[in-house]
Amino acid sequence: MDPLPLDPRQAAALVVQWYAEMGVDAALDETPRNRFEEAPRRPAPTPEPAPPPSPAAAGSVDEAAAAARLLARSARSLDELRDLLAAFDGCALKTTAKNLVFADGDPKARLMLVGEAPGADEDRQGLPFVGRSGQLLDRMLAAIGLDRRAVYIANIIPWRPPGNRTPTPQEAATCQPFIERQIELADPDILVCLGGPSAQALLGLKEGITRARGRWTEYDTGKRRIRAIATLHPAYLLRQPLQKRLAWRDLKAIRKALDESATPA
């Protein structure tokens, strides 16, 4: 009876096994090699030169913030401020955003609302608060007899951070002179900070937004001191709808303050 043919891999395995049983422990090639000779040492790689300091280095951040302050102060109108901001290259967020998100609404409005930074929808349209949180904000304003044509809306950061991440302290510090000048030029009667980051940056509040909201304070526009209040950000209310009751209290307080400031003394 003829033996069954072996698979090539099985045959190779049998050959290797036979060599091992015969004491063969090294494979030879056609070129003689001295296997006792020490392998030549490779020269150590030449270290690459250190990269130049990035724009995010501390000194560069300070310089960018100082340049932003000088540029913002030079603006004599909101239109001029927008043009200067569009040409400003001191914030890296500009390179990843599609559009500058400067403001929406009436720049002469008595009420100004400031959030933190634009999201994807805002980046696409170049307007603040036009996504889901913006739609909720519209309904909140409508509940006290207002709409976005009767208020002025902006953000601390005018460019969308990639992936909607939280802006870094350096990015916020670089952009803050522009929003401060924007508030000064708009000169509203009442400033509303939407969310904790806005309240911390503009009003200096240290507490969490759920504790800081609903309390009146003052903001110095550079021309005068105006009433200011912090409330919950619409995006937070979308995640925590039960907190809308707190936002409603703030909205009623804002409506009352607008009515009082409009009444002649």
Side-chain angles (χ1 to χ4, degrees):
M1 182 175 180
D2 295 330
L4 294 175
L6 290 176
D7 180 271
R9 289 175 296 180
Q10 293 175 325
L14 287 175
V15 171
V16 172
Q17 181 181 356
W18 183 81
Y19 277 130
E21 291 174 352
M22 294 298 102
V24 178
D25 58 3
L28 301 178
D29 55 25
E30 306 215 352
T31 304
R33 295 171 183 256
N34 183 355
R35 299 185 183 275
F36 296 98
E37 182 181 5
E38 185 177 355
R41 295 183 179 179
R42 296 181 179 180
T46 303
E48 296 182 2
S54 68
S60 298
V61 170
D62 291 341
E63 292 172 5
R69 282 193 294 272
L70 289 174
L71 201 61
R73 294 304 307 170
S74 70
R76 293 164 294 180
S77 68
L78 288 169
D79 288 339
E80 188 173 340
L81 181 67
R82 180 192 179 100
D83 292 342
L84 290 172
L85 187 53
F88 180 66
D89 293 326
C91 181
L93 292 177
K94 178 182 177 181
T95 63
T96 57
K98 291 183 176 68
N99 286 299
L100 170 70
V101 181
F102 184 69
D104 194 18
D106 182 3
K108 298 180 180 179
R110 296 170 53 225
L111 178 65
M112 182 172 181
L113 303 98
V114 180
E116 182 183 23
D121 293 311
E122 290 76 13
D123 186 36
R124 280 192 292 270
Q125 299 187 39
L127 294 171
F129 287 93
V130 292
R132 287 186 64 221
S133 62
Q135 293 165 15
L136 177 55
L137 179 61
D138 289 345
R139 295 195 295 272
M140 292 166 65
L141 292 171
I144 57 172
L146 299 172
D147 61 33
R148 64 174 54 227
R149 293 170 298 179
V151 300
Y152 190 52
I153 309 173
N155 281 307
I156 299 287
I157 309 290
W159 295 286
R160 179 200 180 198
N164 289 358
R165 65 164 172 78
T166 301
T168 67
Q170 293 80 8
E171 290 162 351
T174 300
C175 295
Q176 185 157 338
F178 291 104
I179 187 62
E180 290 176 347
R181 183 60 172 159
Q182 194 171 354
I183 297 171
E184 180 182 352
L185 291 169
D187 194 26
D189 292 333
I190 296 174
L191 174 68
V192 177
C193 292
L194 299 171
S198 175
Q200 292 162 10
L202 297 176
L203 306 181
L205 300 181
K206 305 300 182 184
E207 300 172 287
I209 188 60
T210 54
R211 291 178 61 86
R213 53 141 293 275
R215 296 203 307 260
W216 287 104
T217 183
E218 288 187 332
Y219 177 83
D220 188 351
T221 67
K223 297 178 180 178
R224 60 191 177 107
R225 300 183 72 85
I226 62 171
R227 299 188 73 184
I229 192 172
T231 190
L232 302 171
H233 195 286
Y236 174 81
L237 297 175
L238 290 172
R239 300 190 302 270
Q240 302 287 340
L242 291 178
Q243 301 301 328
K244 289 180 181 180
R245 58 187 176 84
L246 299 178
W248 175 236
R249 295 177 193 172
D250 300 340
L251 289 170
K252 290 192 293 184
I254 292 166
R255 178 73 265 182
K256 181 180 179 181
L258 284 170
D259 293 339
E260 290 175 350
S261 64
T263 303

